[in-house]
Amino acid sequence: MDQSRTKKEAFETCFDPKDYLKTYYSFDSTSSEKNDILMFLLRNFFKTFILDGVKGNTLIRIGNAPTIFELLSACESFKEIIVTNYMDRNCQELQKWLKKEPGEFDWTPVVKYVCELEGDRKKWAEKEEKLRRTVKQVLECDVTKFNSVTFASLPPADCLLLCYCLGTNCKDLSTYRAALKNISSLLKPGGHLLMVTTMKCSHFVVGQHKFPCLFLEKEVLEEAVKEAGYDILKFEMSPTCYPASLVEHEGISYLVPKASREAE
């Protein structure tokens, strides 16, 4: 049986989007490793999109979780955002928030924190509505398989944002490298790629289920990124880790590569 298909079927059978969001993104005033990691990422996205001026017409977010935190500062810098996801049930969970349907996850504390970074915590409701307007499409997309039909339907991106997806979806390094190269075909020459990666990770936990991850070291990740045609502008590690009961890893990395202008 195909291993990558078995892995996806395990996610589709056992992964609960609501449990995942509650476990990792219930952001509150209580100090915790989870809060620290989320704030680390939010500050980096704020710096990239607002302070460093990474902007353009189209940003494509490629992920495997029903999250919006990584798009909160991005919606100030891009005219349209397209979200792809590994599983349909995560697409449905995202649509709940976008359409303000009953049972949507409450991202308000996270949105308020980002608005505070940007200078006005009171504008959180406006921020939510702006993001909802900016997200134009939510699509199911398996990054481990090059889908020419799906890819052909997407506009060339000024920025690609990969949040955790490759490490959890790819069965081995060759699949990882191939997926990164395939995804990169969506990016304009000279465009930016933002990557959030769980480093040296064996698995993460949602509810009663453990989900395996591809073990990635810094040198291997950087080599794969360079091989895909990028120059690395920034590599930063989170100062804290998730509790070992949730994630077996050595930290979260925030990586900013830029595509070579000579790339096809």
Side-chain angles (χ1 to χ4, degrees), residues 99-114:
K99 297 177 180 179
K100 297 192 279 189
E101 295 178 350
E104 63 171 309
F105 184 73
D106 183 12
W107 287 100
T108 305
V110 179
V111 180
K112 287 181 176 179
Y113 179 79
V114 173

Side-chain angles (χ1 to χ4, degrees), residues 5-19:
R5 181 166 177 78
T6 301
K7 191 171 184 178
K8 185 172 184 180
E9 287 176 346
F11 268 94
E12 290 176 337
T13 303
C14 301
F15 186 87
D16 186 322
K18 293 184 184 299
D19 272 357

Side-chain angles (χ1 to χ4, degrees), residues 65-82:
T67 54
I68 58 99
F69 73 90
E70 62 271 50
L71 305 175
L72 291 166
S73 289
C75 73
E76 304 294 338
S77 299
F78 290 87
K79 295 179 181 178
E80 67 171 359
I81 293 174
I82 298 169

